[in-house]
Amino acid sequence: VSFQRLTDLVGVNESPALSPDGRMVAYVAPVHGRQQIWIRMLSGGAPLRVTHNDDDHEFPRWTRDGSSVVYYTRPATGGESGMLWEVSALGGAPRPLVSSTGGADCSHDGRRIAMFQTTDDRAELVTLSREDGRVERIAYGPRGCACESPRWSPDDRFIVFHTRGLGRFVEHLHVVPAVGGHEPTRIVQASAIRGVSWLRDGSGVVYSSSAGSTVPYPSTFNL
């Protein structure tokens, strides 16, 4: 195992996302108190800032061809839904995609984007067609839970996502087929889950959690 330092911007550098070809990483770092999206070549060079307006930009995810990044901005008035945007990896004017309650993920075939919206006070996992803009419901999240971080399996057949019960310390990961009509299956129960990714062969997932940590703050996380 070897380690390579990729970022050194002032403040917390977070939410890394590798490009499909493995040559670039998109991440979030603050500028004058606002979270901005940056892109850096793994081979070296200066990072490129691709967002510039006075919002917090979060949860970058690459499109299949690596030409652009999809990200999330929170609602300006504190409502339930923010907005997903797409911006070129070379920078430029971002374009709005669809309302969402959090970050999204792009399917590996490039055809759909998975995200959560709110329907009847309940989190609903939906997909947005990149061809015609059609929104399709996949499944409801558990009642009384905030749902986030949808991630497509390598073959695009399943989606894993993270749930947090309001006012509870135990969190979960659920998996559901990426077609409507199925109930999510709980696969993980742990404390303070932070991030989830599929193994390359789709046989399982890797996640970060503070489970087993005896230090209350700051918690020690493990994969």
Side-chain angles (χ1 to χ4, degrees), residues 17 58-62 70-73 83-85 97-107 112-116 125-128 148-152 159:
E58 302 176 285
F59 313 124
R61 303 296 293 175
W62 290 88
V70 173
Y71 64 88
Y72 172 73
T73 59
M83 181 65 67
L84 293 178
W85 299 77
L97 295 177
V98 67
S99 63
S100 174
T101 60
D105 195 31
C106 302
S107 63
R112 293 191 289 172
I113 298 176
M115 77 220 72
F116 281 96
L125 178 64
V126 301
T127 61
L128 171 72
E148 58 191 16
S149 302
R151 296 290 181 264
W152 293 89
I159 298 173

Side-chain angles (χ1 to χ4, degrees), residues 162 169-173 188-196 206-213 219-223:
H162 174 202
F169 294 100
V170 177
E171 304 177 14
H172 303 96
L173 295 178
V188 170
Q189 176 174 304
S191 57
I193 295 173
R194 296 292 182 271
V196 58
V206 176
Y207 64 96
S208 173
S209 170
S210 66
S213 173
S219 301
T220 300
F221 284 82
N222 292 287
L223 295 180

Side-chain angles (χ1 to χ4, degrees), residues 112-133:
R112 293 191 289 172
I113 298 176
M115 77 220 72
F116 281 96
Q117 296 181 338
T118 300
T119 302
D120 298 328
D121 296 324
R122 191 174 179 184
E124 184 178 27
L125 178 64
V126 301
T127 61
L128 171 72
S129 169
R130 292 182 60 81
E131 296 175 353
D132 58 16

Side-chain angles (χ1 to χ4, degrees), residues 145-186:
C145 289
C147 300
E148 58 191 16
S149 302
R151 296 290 181 264
W152 293 89
S153 63
D155 59 8
D156 290 332
R157 294 177 57 203
F158 297 92
I159 298 173
V160 65
F161 60 91
H162 174 202
T163 66
R164 292 180 291 106
L166 303 180
R168 306 174 208 163
F169 294 100
V170 177
E171 304 177 14
H172 303 96
L173 295 178
H174 288 78
V175 169
V176 66
V179 293
H182 298 270
E183 288 294 321
T185 300
R186 190 175 74 185

